Amino acid sequence: MNKWGFWHGFSMRIKRKKWMRKDSAAAWIFLIPSGVGFALFYLIPFAMGLFYSFVDNTVDSRFVGLDNYRELLASDSFRKAASNTFYFSAVSVPLNLALSLGLAMLLNTDMHLRKWLRTASVLPLVVPVASIVLIWQILFDWNGSINAWLSGFAVEPVDWMKSEAARNVIIVVYLWKNIGYNIILFLAGLQQIPKDYYDTAQTEGAGSLRQFVSITLVYLTPTMFFVVILSIMNSFKVFRETYLIAGDYPHDSIYMMQHYMNNTFTSLDIQKLTAAATLMAGCILLIVMGLFTLDRRYRKFME
C-alpha cells in the first residue's frame, strides 16, 4: 500500500510538471508579442531618453553627468511649468475624488431618473477631444456664452483664457472629462458592499456620517486607491485639452510640464527634454510608491 501510494504520488508529480511545462509554453507564446511591443515602444525609448539626459548632444554623446539637470532646475520656465503642474494635480485630484464619490453615492440610491443620469455621467468619455475643445471655446471665449450670460447680470466680461481664470477653466475641463469613469468605478465598489452592514449599523443607532466613515470608506479603500492613481495619471495628461484650447504658449497659470517638453522638442533641445521627462517620471513613480506604502499600512492597521 505504501509502495503504491509512493508510485502514485511520483507519477502525479511527473504529470503535473508536464502540464506546467505545456501551460508555461502556451503562456510564453501569448506573452512574447506583448513583451516585444512593450520593449520596442516603451522600455527601449525610455532607456534611450534616460541616456540622452546625461550627454551633451545626441550626435557625439559626450557624458556630462548632471549638467542637464542643473540647467533644467535653474530654468525659470521649467520651474513655472513644474509648479503649475503640481498645483493643478493637488487641486484637481481631490476635487475629482470628492465629486465622483459623492455623485456615485447619489446615483447608488433609488433616485428619479437614475439610469439617465448614469448614462449622462459617462458621455464625456465618448466625446472626441476636438468636440470638447470646440464646446469649451464657445463657452469661455471673450464673446462666448459665459460672458454673454454674465452680461445679463451687469457683470464685466472676463477674458477667461488670458487671465488667472484660465487655471479654473482647465480644472473644470479636467473634472468634466474624467469624473464619469471614476463614478463607474465607485458605483461598482459601492454595489459590492452588503446592505446588511448598513441595516445593522442603523439598528445600533449609527448615523449617516458614522456609516459613511466606518462602512463606506473602509470597504471602498481598494477602489479609492485605484481611482487616486488613475486621477493623478490623468492630471498629467491634461496637456492635450490645454494645448488645443490655448495653444503653444498659454497664460502663465496653465503653462504645464507638457508645454515645456513640447517647446523643447520643437527647438530640438533633446537633452533638456529627456531630463524633464525623467524627472517627471521619477516624481510619478515616487507618488505611486508612496500611495502603495500608505495602502499597505492601512490594510495592516485594519487587520
Side-chain angles (χ1 to χ4, degrees):
M1 188 69 181
N2 291 334
K3 290 183 179 179
W4 183 87
F6 171 78
W7 288 110
H8 177 72
F10 182 73
S11 62
M12 289 297 294
R13 284 195 294 270
I14 292 176
K15 290 180 180 179
R16 192 180 299 113
K17 287 182 180 180
K18 290 181 179 179
W19 179 81
M20 290 178 64
R21 287 175 183 174
K22 292 180 180 179
D23 193 58
S24 61
W28 279 110
I29 291 174
F30 285 102
L31 286 174
I32 285 175
S34 298
V36 171
F38 176 78
L40 186 62
F41 295 105
Y42 290 95
L43 189 60
I44 295 174
F46 180 79
M48 292 176 64
L50 184 63
F51 170 75
Y52 287 145
S53 67
F54 292 102
V55 299
D56 57 349
N57 58 70
T58 58
V59 179
D60 298 332
S61 299
R62 185 173 61 88
F63 183 76
V64 294
L66 298 176
D67 289 350
N68 293 324
Y69 291 92
R70 294 191 188 96
E71 293 181 10
L72 190 69
L73 295 174
S75 172
D76 292 334
S77 57
F78 173 79
R79 291 201 298 267
K80 181 192 301 180
S83 62
N84 286 341
T85 303
F86 176 78
Y87 176 86
F88 177 81
S89 298
V91 173
S92 61
V93 171
L95 280 175
N96 192 2
L97 187 68
L99 289 175
S100 57
L101 179 57
L103 291 173
M105 293 179 64
L106 184 64
L107 294 175
N108 196 42
T109 60
D110 294 330
M111 63 178 300
H112 188 57
L113 298 177
R114 181 179 60 177
K115 293 183 179 179
W116 291 100
L117 291 173
R118 286 182 178 180
T119 304
S121 66
V122 299
L123 283 179
L125 297 174
V126 298
V127 178
V129 177
S131 301
I132 294 174
V133 171
L134 180 61
I135 292 171
W136 291 103
Q137 284 178 342
I138 293 172
L139 289 174
F140 291 101
D141 190 72
W142 175 262
N143 297 315
S145 302
I146 300 295
N147 282 333
W149 181 75
L150 291 175
S151 64
F153 296 91
V155 178
E156 292 293 328
V158 179
D159 197 353
W160 296 95
M161 299 310 299
K162 294 182 180 179
S163 64
E164 292 293 330
R167 177 179 287 165
N168 299 327
V169 172
I170 298 303
I171 290 175
V172 171
V173 173
Y174 165 81
L175 293 175
W176 181 82
K177 179 65 177 175
N178 295 281
I179 202 171
Y181 187 62
N182 293 344
I183 289 175
I184 296 174
L185 295 175
F186 277 130
L187 275 173
L190 287 170
Q191 291 172 1
Q192 295 299 318
I193 303 175
K195 293 184 179 180
D196 296 342
Y197 295 167
Y198 294 102
D199 295 336
T200 304
Q202 288 178 358
T203 303
E204 294 179 354
S208 299
L209 181 60
R210 182 61 183 273
Q211 293 179 36
F212 174 74
V213 174
S214 302
I215 299 176
T216 306
L217 287 183
V218 170
Y219 285 93
L220 276 183
T221 299
T223 305
M224 194 173 298
F225 173 72
F226 178 73
V227 169
V228 169
I229 292 180
L230 190 66
S231 299
I232 292 173
M233 298 298 179
N234 288 331
S235 70
F236 280 91
K237 297 191 295 184
V238 76
F239 165 74
R240 181 175 54 182
E241 288 80 4
T242 307
Y243 177 80
L244 292 174
I245 293 174
D248 290 335
Y249 296 94
H251 188 266
D252 287 350
S253 62
I254 56 173
Y255 185 76
M256 304 291 186
M257 279 289 294
Q258 295 90 339
H259 286 97
Y260 178 82
M261 289 189 285
N262 185 66
N263 294 333
T264 52
F265 176 77
T266 304
S267 60
L268 295 180
D269 195 348
I270 304 300
Q271 295 71 243
K272 287 185 179 179
L273 168 64
T274 53
T278 302
L279 286 178
M280 185 174 175
C283 289
I284 295 175
L285 180 62
L286 288 176
I287 292 172
V288 173
M289 290 176 62
L291 290 173
F292 271 109
T293 303
L294 289 176
D295 180 67
R296 187 164 53 250
R297 290 183 178 179
Y298 180 78
R299 288 176 183 272
K300 288 183 179 178
F301 174 77
M302 292 305 298
E303 291 174 357

